[in-house]
Amino acid sequence: MQKTVSGFGIAIIGLGSAFLATPAQAFTLADCGTAPAGATLTFAGNLCKLTFSTPGTYSFTTPASVAGLSVLLVGGGGGTSHSAPVGGSPVNIGYAGSGGKVTYADFSSASPNETFAITVGAGGASSLLGAPDDGQSSTISKGSILASALGGAKGTGAIYCLFQGNTFDYIGVGDGAGGNTTSRAGEECVPAPGVNPSLAAADSNGQQASTLFASFNQEFGAGGKLIAMPATLPSRAPGAGANVVVDISWPSGLEPVADAAGADGFAAAVWQPKATLAETGSGWDSSMLIGLGSIAAGAALVTTRRRWAK
């Protein structure tokens, strides 16, 4: 009888250990909750990723699986200032817009059923013979603004440079989210960098990227570029400043061609889903609880056998 009780206790301990070794709960997209209208919700690599690409303000309520959020914000890019040759001269004007800033925000204390307002800033409008616009800021708030990424500045004559040896046009490139352009006071035009989170690049405030942003392989907030004719305007990542195509040949002086606006901003919330049990009020799943209970019961039986043996 003593050996039977002892053997049964050891068997129960083994069963409990098996439960503890059970793989963690397998999550699916359903565990990520519901995306607000106009947003995109995906699940990959055991991460829930909610992205916002269209300017506007959205309401997001955290689902039950949230135990902390990492947020990426990108401001809208600035517009260009450009004009055709003036007064019979082939001289033209083309100042590219600056990129919107990039901000990483850590909300490790975020919990289920919290409501946040997320705003995506629009790119600033470009202008032919007029005043362009700055890009709009992107923000996350909860009653008050918690984090923001400023929009990029409009293109102006404050930043001017030489382009492929050109000395007679009034032209300039925009600053970027990853740093200012080095092109000042007539130096050669150098495009200003944006921020690529997948490369662990720091944001505009010097904050290092979370590993949760590894899938965002784009250069957000790049400074607007100068491009020589003949050429077409390139595609852009969110937050890029408006580009401008200029004619640097003498003496044709064709009218510059520019993006209609800076690229719109962007926002994303990323989290690793967590299991919760309403019954226990803890983050332990059922297999862990059964495993611990089984080990405790088995240990009690083994102890009882040893007492009988005395």
Side-chain angles (χ1 to χ4, degrees):
M1 173 66 178
Q2 295 174 6
K3 291 183 178 180
T4 301
V5 171
S6 177
F8 185 57
I10 293 173
I12 292 178
I13 292 175
L15 178 63
S17 298
F19 271 106
L20 285 178
T22 300
Q25 178 179 339
F27 294 100
T28 67
L29 179 61
D31 295 300
C32 298
T34 303
T40 300
L41 181 63
T42 58
F43 179 75
N46 204 37
L47 291 176
C48 298
K49 184 166 67 173
L50 183 65
T51 57
F52 305 83
S53 302
T54 304
T57 298
Y58 306 83
S59 179
F60 166 54
T61 300
T62 52
S65 64
V66 162
L69 290 174
S70 291
V71 174
L72 166 65
L73 299 171
V74 183
T80 69
S81 173
H82 57 286
S83 71
V86 178
S89 167
V91 173
N92 56 43
I93 298 172
Y95 294 106
S98 291
K101 300 299 184 183
V102 173
T103 296
Y104 305 140
D106 177 26
F107 298 101
S108 56
S109 62
S111 58
N113 205 37
E114 289 191 72
T115 299
F116 295 89
I118 295 177
T119 297
V120 176
S126 297
S127 176
L128 176 64
L129 295 176
D133 294 327
D134 295 331
Q136 297 176 352
S137 297
S138 295
T139 64
I140 180 170
S141 59
K142 186 182 174 186
S144 59
I145 292 178
L146 304 176
S148 64
L150 297 178
K154 59 193 174 187
T156 69
I159 303 175
Y160 66 98
C161 54
L162 302 179
F163 185 48
Q164 298 184 10
N166 183 305
T167 59
F168 51 84
D169 284 346
Y170 297 95
I171 51 182
V173 292
D175 288 334
N180 294 336
T181 174
T182 58
S183 304
R184 294 288 195 278
E187 297 173 350
E188 187 67 21
C189 299
V190 178
V195 172
N196 188 330
S198 74
L199 302 179
D203 69 5
S204 301
N205 308 303
Q207 178 71 32
Q208 289 302 125
S210 165
T211 56
L212 301 187
F213 296 149
S215 64
F216 294 103
N217 187 17
Q218 296 188 83
E219 188 182 3
F220 296 109
K225 300 176 177 63
L226 286 171
I227 303 163
M229 289 184 179
T232 56
L233 291 164
S235 60
R236 302 170 294 166
N243 300 310
V244 58
V245 178
V246 294
D247 178 23
I248 61 171
S249 61
W250 186 272
S252 61
L254 299 176
E255 180 177 308
V257 177
D259 289 311
D264 293 330
F266 179 80
V270 184
W271 67 97
Q272 187 169 20
K274 304 292 183 182
T276 58
L277 283 180
E279 295 85 355
T280 65
S282 75
W284 293 37
D285 66 22
S286 57
S287 65
M288 294 175 67
L289 295 173
I290 293 172
L292 289 174
S294 298
I295 290 174
L301 287 173
V302 172
T303 301
T304 300
R305 188 270 179 193
R306 290 176 177 172
R307 288 176 179 168
W308 286 351
K310 294 179 180 180

